[in-house]
Amino acid sequence: MKKFFWGICFSILGLYACLHILISTEPIQQRLVTEIRAALITLGVELEVEGISVALFRPRLFFNRVVLKPYPAAKQSPLTTPLSIDKIKMDFRLWGLLSRRLVVSEFILYHPKIIVPYAEELYRRVSRLMKEKTVPKLKGDSFSITVN
């Protein structure tokens, strides 16, 4: 009975490790960026990422040297000027990827730089989005993205 229990525990741990190693590959990372980029375009924001890195033991992506700017074809965008960010840390739930859902549990911006000619307008738009009681749910090309 003990061998069976330990066998199941090691099997689950092995599957988790394999899934995490799979996420650290370049094609999977590019797919996640493509899904996030498609979801942001629906909000009127264009995403440019210079590099991606993955945390070793946690399902965490780091987007390096990121620029968020208004999408030219969008009718409305929450951004009026480009936003330059040194690094973005994104924690997500690993098991959600198996069901084709990217559930973001933490999103941190490091060293954001923005020149805001109309700071009051940007503040009003962001505070209006934050006051909404609904959880934002976005749709990428084939993934649904939920922010908790």
Side-chain angles (χ1 to χ4, degrees), residues 114-129:
I114 187 169
I115 299 172
V116 184
Y118 304 103
E120 296 86 24
E121 179 65 26
L122 178 65
Y123 177 75
R124 267 189 252 117
R125 288 180 183 181
V126 170
S127 61
R128 191 176 328 127
L129 285 173

Side-chain angles (χ1 to χ4, degrees), residues 29-52 63-69 71 90 102 138-141 145:
Q29 291 176 10
Q30 289 303 320
R31 177 66 189 256
L32 290 175
V33 170
T34 302
E35 293 294 331
I36 293 169
R37 197 174 271 142
L40 287 175
I41 284 175
T42 63
L43 293 176
V45 177
E46 187 177 358
L47 173 71
E48 293 178 7
V49 178
E50 190 173 312
I52 304 169
F63 299 103
N64 301 316
R65 292 168 295 285
V66 176
V67 176
L68 296 171
K69 53 187 175 182
Y71 188 63
M90 185 180 90
L102 181 61
L138 307 171
K139 181 76 174 146
D141 288 336
I145 299 174

